[in-house]
Amino acid sequence: MLEVKPIYDVLSHSCLDAIVISVSSCQGLNYEPMFYDSWNFIYDTRLGTKIGDRLHEGEDRSWINMREYVGLGIIKYGRNDKLEKVIDMELFKMNMPILLYIDAYYCSWTKVYQKESYMHTCLLIGKQSNKTYISIDPYTNLKYNQISLEEIRKGCSGYAVFRKMEPQKTLSCEQLLRHQLNIMSEKINGNNRLEMMKLFANDIEQHFHLNDELDGNENLLKVMLFERLKFLSRRRRQFSTLLRYMNRTYGVSIMLQLAEKFDDVANKWETVRNTMIKLCFSEKMDELRIRALKRILDASNSESEILDIIKSVL
């Protein structure tokens, strides 16, 4: 069995993030530069009629950043009829774990095992017997789980392999801050990121209709608006993680100061999300909507203050 320790932070990592971080750590690599580009905000009124359809946290370039700045390549493949041979080659010839895209219905350690289907991921790190593999799934638990070859054959829709390589780029504090300043200043449909936050607040104030956002969805975790708000908060925690790494690496104190401010703004976006979810269970719709609006504006003002600090040090 490969020595891969499952690593997961419930507020900062997606299921895929946790797997990639676990792999990079076992390879002795610093994963934090994967969160380059993570500070973003998009609200495009041209996209759909629901507010949740218009809101986005920005492109996820974490795998590209892993290759370019960390030196860990991740190559994704579709379903393979010879998957058993591929798995064994990765585990025993390449001495590398292999990521599986698999239906959670076939993952015995999940709560939906043989009950509900949804696409999930796990990481194979060894073999228990001819027909049973050892896996980790940090998003679900921090244990070493077993999965049969039959379950893999039935549930797997694709896989990804990992390759260590020389990083193509280096990252400096000034480069990082200038890059993020450019992202936040870039205009989409005539609006920069802070202006899009104001548009989002305006639509919450004037055009929010709870039933439209729910769209008949009984599972609140799958409501697009709530999902996007969760990702916005997570991305800011990820950027804070990167800033703390830059402070440790280069000893630049402003990076730590900015990290603390990003932790604070991440909490504010999480509070926005929690307030919006409460709308589903309360009769005080207008009161909660106004509270959410104020918190959106508060988060936006905090991000504006962060931009001002960055501009002052560049």
Side-chain angles (χ1 to χ4, degrees), residues 12 45 59 94 160 166 211 214 237 272 274 286 296 305:
S12 302
T45 56
E59 181 186 4
M94 304 303 297
E166 285 297 317
N211 288 336
L214 296 179
R237 296 187 196 282
V272 171
N274 292 339
D286 289 338
I296 292 168
E305 291 171 6

Side-chain angles (χ1 to χ4, degrees), residues 25-225:
S25 296
C26 85
Q27 296 295 319
L29 301 171
N30 295 310
Y31 66 87
E32 291 89 346
M34 72 185 285
F35 297 139
Y36 190 61
D37 302 300
S38 56
W39 182 26
N40 207 336
F41 184 99
I42 295 174
Y43 189 73
D44 191 340
T45 56
R46 298 171 299 179
L47 303 178
T49 56
K50 298 197 296 288
I51 293 175
D53 291 338
R54 299 173 172 183
L55 183 64
H56 203 272
E57 68 281 1
E59 181 186 4
D60 182 358
R61 291 176 52 85
S62 57
W63 285 19
I64 296 172
N65 295 331
M66 284 296 292
R67 182 183 70 245
E68 293 184 345
Y69 293 101
V70 178
L72 184 66
I74 310 169
I75 307 109
K76 182 179 178 181
Y77 297 93
R79 186 176 177 85
N80 190 326
D81 292 335
K82 298 180 180 179
L83 184 57
E84 183 179 4
K85 290 184 178 180
V86 174
I87 292 173
D88 288 349
M89 182 182 72
E90 291 300 313
L91 292 176
F92 304 115
K93 184 176 180 181
M94 304 303 297
N95 290 315
M96 294 292 280
I98 180 169
L99 185 157
L100 298 186
Y101 294 88
I102 190 165
D103 190 335
Y105 183 91
Y106 297 100
C107 300
S108 62
W109 58 91
T110 67
K111 293 180 180 180
V112 299
Y113 180 56
Q114 295 186 344
K115 296 178 182 177
E116 183 180 340
S117 290
Y118 67 83
M119 190 45 58
H120 194 49
T121 55
C122 71
L123 186 76
L124 299 187
I125 61 171
K127 205 168 187 178
Q128 185 75 26
S129 65
N130 279 343
K131 301 298 181 182
T132 305
Y133 289 89
I134 302 168
S135 74
I136 62 169
D137 174 10
Y139 186 81
T140 304
N141 64 37
L142 298 179
K143 301 177 181 179
Y144 295 99
N145 310 297
Q146 295 185 8
I147 184 167
S148 70
L149 178 60
E150 185 65 22
E151 288 168 330
I152 292 172
R153 285 172 174 166
K154 289 180 177 179
C156 182
S157 61
Y159 65 96
V161 300
F162 301 87
R163 293 291 182 267
K164 283 188 75 172
M165 56 186 64
E166 285 297 317
Q168 301 168 2
K169 299 179 181 179
T170 57
L171 185 59
S172 70
C173 295
E174 181 179 354
Q175 172 197 348
L176 171 62
L177 296 183
R178 286 195 183 280
H179 176 69
Q180 291 295 159
L181 182 59
N182 289 337
I183 287 178
M184 297 300 286
S185 301
E186 179 190 23
K187 292 191 175 184
I188 295 177
N189 196 25
N191 300 291
N192 64 31
R193 269 48 177 182
L194 291 178
E195 290 166 344
M196 284 190 270
M197 291 180 196
K198 296 297 192 296
L199 287 175
F200 173 53
N202 182 70
D203 274 2
I204 291 293
E205 180 180 25
Q206 299 187 19
H207 305 296
F208 175 77
H209 300 287
L210 180 60
N211 288 336
D212 290 344
E213 299 301 324
L214 296 179
D215 197 21
N217 203 328
E218 296 182 0
N219 186 346
L220 297 183
L221 297 178
K222 295 183 179 181
V223 173
M224 188 62 69
L225 176 60

